[in-house]
Amino acid sequence: MPLDLTQLSQITEPLLAWYEKNARVLPWRENTDAYRVWVSEIMLQQTRVDTVIPYYERFLRRFPDVAALAAAPEQELLKMWEGLGYYSRVRNMQKAAQQICEKHNGIFPNEYEQILSLPGIGAYTAGAVASIAWNKPYAAVDGNVLRVVTRLTADSREISNTKFKNEITAALQEIYPVDKCGIFTQSLMELGAVVCMPNGAPRCTECPLQSLCSACAAGTQPEYPVKKKQAQRRIEEKTVLIMIYAGRLALQKRARSGLLGGMWELPNLSGKADTAQIQKWLAKHKITQCRIVKGRPARHIFTHIEWQMDSYLIECGQVSADSDFTWITEQDLENEYALPTAFKKVYTQNRPL
Ligand code: SF4
């Protein structure tokens, strides 16, 4: 059954009135310049608001505009992003910034199609920037908005279905208030984030849409949204090495493509290696006379993969001058080299330096 536009059209006014009184004060709401909206939206993907705030403020101080981001050295950019994960997001942001400098004179485009054509920007982000920064009637439909709409309409279609998502986007765009597009986008997101919460625990008594909500009337809120069953995560076992030589830690670069592509990592072997296997591996890399001590294991979960990591601390006695590794100090690690969270976990819980 198609979405009921008459029902949806009634949400605009109460939602806007509620947002005006209840919106959280967030740094990216103080100035809705397109560049700032874009940075915040990319950071907020898969990441909690509390985590994003200090990253956002630091990023904006260092890269205050498109030109500064376009010209940033990659290593520094990745360091700024360290801990946020999904590093392709920031690499794509830089590509997009460079494209804006080349094609749009460094000025963030204000046409939806032009925004959508930038690297790393999909319909959600384009809709958020077009509506929040440029007050255009484009919806930004993310998980929060899907949850609100499917509960409101008690629609049990599965939300990863593109046709359904497009239908929701189109229906919302029909009801966008002409002069308050940005506020409307934010009010929908806000309601999903703080009132119509996930995991079957909405705060319906505080909701401005309660009298309009089909799921609330039927007491079926936890049944929405309907999601496809997720495939089980693949487990990968690894042995991670914290190798120290003359007070310096060994890092190496990951292959450019694939998971954490092009990032720095602690040297590691696939599977669970024992001391003899590690010794053989070290010798192959021209590192000898080592003291090897077993460290604490760690686990890291990515979207589709889980790493189960054993760790070893290795004091390297002799290292060939042409060793395959980059040897860095603790200070370098702090200031310059971005180490993905999975490796940072292993390192900090076995901290040797
Ligand atoms: Fe969500 Fe409850 Fe509001 Fe319905 S009434 S939109 S379920 S918070």
Side-chain angles (χ1 to χ4, degrees):
M1 217 172 47
L3 287 164
D4 181 350
L5 270 184
T6 318
Q7 182 191 13
L8 276 184
S9 66
Q10 294 172 54
I11 71 172
T12 320
E13 263 182 46
L15 193 53
L16 290 175
W18 169 83
Y19 183 76
E20 211 163 285
K21 285 200 194 115
N22 295 284
R24 288 168 296 174
V25 177
L26 297 172
W28 44 89
R29 288 183 177 158
E30 286 160 17
N31 175 345
T32 53
D33 159 76
Y35 175 70
R36 287 164 178 261
V37 173
W38 173 51
V39 171
S40 68
E41 287 301 333
I42 300 289
M43 283 188 173
L44 285 163
Q45 288 166 16
Q46 327 271 357
T47 315
R48 290 157 41 99
V49 165
D50 293 353
T51 309
V52 166
I53 291 174
Y55 278 95
Y56 173 83
E57 289 175 335
R58 205 161 44 115
F59 196 91
L60 262 289
R61 271 199 304 276
R62 173 60 188 89
F63 308 120
D65 51 33
V66 169
L69 175 56
E74 187 184 62
Q75 180 136 325
E76 191 183 352
L77 200 57
L78 294 173
K79 186 68 190 167
M80 281 271 169
W81 206 264
E82 186 183 43
L84 278 178
Y86 304 96
Y87 290 85
S88 59
R89 290 185 293 173
V90 69
R91 286 205 175 106
N92 277 331
M93 278 176 74
Q94 184 168 49
K95 281 188 207 147
Q98 288 163 348
Q99 205 163 300
I100 294 171
C101 289
E102 281 160 26
K103 293 191 180 165
H104 305 283
N105 254 341
I107 297 164
F108 209 99
N110 62 6
E111 290 300 331
Y112 176 82
E113 295 302 334
Q114 287 178 338
I115 302 171
L116 187 63
S117 71
L118 294 168
I121 295 194
Y124 166 80
T125 310
V129 177
S131 60
I132 299 172
W134 303 117
N135 194 42
K136 300 205 169 178
Y138 287 96
V141 178
D142 66 351
N144 282 336
V145 175
L146 286 169
R147 187 167 57 254
V148 171
V149 174
T150 53
R151 284 177 175 167
L152 264 173
T153 55
D155 199 315
S156 53
R157 281 177 283 176
E158 198 268 299
I159 52 164
S160 72
N161 178 325
T162 313
K163 216 171 130 205
F164 182 38
K165 206 166 157 180
N166 290 344
E167 190 185 324
I168 291 181
T169 308
L172 287 174
Q173 285 170 189
E174 288 285 321
I175 62 162
Y176 258 64
V178 218
D179 52 341
K180 291 191 171 162
C181 297
I183 304 286
F184 190 58
T185 293
Q186 293 180 85
S187 65
L188 269 169
M189 292 173 175
E190 187 79 348
L191 190 80
V194 303
V195 175
C196 196
M197 326 265 284
N199 305 323
R203 298 179 173 155
C204 299
T205 51
E206 296 165 30
C207 180
L209 309 181
Q210 191 182 16
S211 64
L212 303 166
C213 180
S214 304
C216 183
T220 54
Q221 304 94 316
E223 292 174 24
Y224 307 97
V226 174
K227 291 183 186 167
K228 215 196 297 184
K229 215 169 168 252
Q230 285 216 325
Q232 269 208 328
R233 277 195 194 94
R234 192 174 77 238
I235 307 273
E236 278 183 13
E237 292 182 331
K238 287 188 175 299
T239 304
V240 177
L241 309 180
I242 300 170
M243 292 159 47
I244 307 294
Y245 178 64
R248 289 172 175 256
L249 172 74
L251 293 187
Q252 64 185 14
K253 272 230 167 151
R254 291 179 66 79
R256 189 81 198 171
S257 61
L259 183 66
L260 302 176
M263 298 294 297
W264 289 102
E265 66 174 358
L266 294 172
N268 57 86
L269 291 74
S270 304
K272 305 234 165 176
D274 59 22
T275 314
Q277 287 167 315
I278 292 169
Q279 221 138 23
K280 210 166 141 197
W281 183 92
L282 288 165
K284 204 175 100 195
H285 290 278
K286 303 182 196 158
I287 298 175
T288 53
Q289 297 178 21
C290 299
R291 196 169 82 90
I292 303 175
V293 179
K294 185 141 196 199
R296 294 170 59 193
R299 200 166 72 104
H300 188 75
I301 292 175
F302 299 93
T303 314
H304 304 295
I305 301 174
E306 175 177 333
W307 281 0
Q308 293 181 351
M309 298 171 283
D310 274 359
S311 69
Y312 285 85
L313 264 105
I314 301 175
E315 276 173 32
C316 305
Q318 276 204 334
V319 172
S320 151
D322 62 346
S323 96
D324 303 323
F325 308 103
T326 299
W327 299 89
I328 64 162
T329 63
E330 176 95 340
Q331 213 178 9
D332 296 335
L333 186 61
E334 196 124 308
N335 301 330
E336 214 180 304
Y337 289 77
L339 196 59
T341 307
F343 295 105
K344 201 100 195 221
K345 264 186 203 166
V346 174
Y347 179 71
T348 40
Q349 68 185 31
N350 292 290
R351 204 177 206 96
L353 290 175

